[in-house]
Amino acid sequence: MTRALAFVLSVCIAFTTAAKESTQSTSTGHDVLSRHVGNWDVRFDRNDPFSVGTITGQWALGGAYLEQTGEFVARLVPNNVTIKTLTKYDEGENKFKRWTFLSNGRELVSLGTWEPDTNTMTWVSEKYEPLSKRTIVATSTEEFRADGTVMVSTISKDADREVGRSSQLRTPRK
């Protein structure tokens, strides 16, 4: 009897897990994040052919997270930077969450919101900078364009003062 009960419980758990994975793969959050899956070339400035990079996006950990890895080369940065990002949709909070790790030791946690009418994802992060004793709020906007490219614009502010601005164009690699 105990073995039969254990077997039934394990089958129920297996079906519940499969149902959750099936539901997750059809959820709005999963569909939005699927836009990042694939291989991308990155250009940071149209006029600077030396500041470029690549990003690869794929599902990880059974489809629970979108994992992006890449490498960036910039004219004014002495070393190439590799990046790893994990992103998920939190259905309970109706928010996207992103954790970014850079090979230079920096890390960033961001919360995202999706605007379906404009095909735009907006990410907001706060990072305390101990050297300057300032909290920097960065807002990144990812605009998914009809031609398949993604335009990413980031503005960083310290209180109400802008302290940085960047943009990048991501093009699907063929």
Side-chain angles (χ1 to χ4, degrees), residues 59-107:
W59 291 108
L61 300 171
Y65 291 85
L66 171 73
E67 178 183 51
Q68 294 171 286
T69 57
E71 184 171 12
F72 301 134
V73 178
R75 180 190 302 260
L76 301 176
V77 178
N79 297 317
N80 298 352
V81 175
T82 56
I83 185 171
K84 180 177 286 264
T85 301
L86 293 173
T87 307
K88 74 174 244 170
Y89 178 66
D90 186 324
E91 291 185 28
E93 293 184 24
N94 194 27
K95 289 276 184 191
F96 292 85
K97 296 180 179 181
R98 178 177 278 175
W99 297 267
T100 303
F101 306 95
L102 302 167
S103 60
N104 61 10
R106 296 183 62 98
E107 59 191 57

Side-chain angles (χ1 to χ4, degrees), residues 13-88:
I13 290 170
F15 279 120
T16 302
T17 302
K20 285 181 182 177
E21 288 176 4
S22 173
T23 302
Q24 179 181 19
S25 66
T26 60
S27 73
T28 302
H30 196 273
D31 293 343
V32 170
L33 293 177
S34 289
R35 296 167 184 253
H36 291 286
V37 172
N39 298 307
W40 303 82
D41 290 321
V42 180
R43 172 164 246 125
F44 291 95
D45 182 344
R46 282 182 234 153
N47 301 319
D48 181 3
F50 300 105
S51 296
V52 295
T54 59
I55 293 178
T56 298
Q58 62 187 8
W59 291 108
L61 300 171
Y65 291 85
L66 171 73
E67 178 183 51
Q68 294 171 286
T69 57
E71 184 171 12
F72 301 134
V73 178
R75 180 190 302 260
L76 301 176
V77 178
N79 297 317
N80 298 352
V81 175
T82 56
I83 185 171
K84 180 177 286 264
T85 301
L86 293 173
T87 307
K88 74 174 244 170

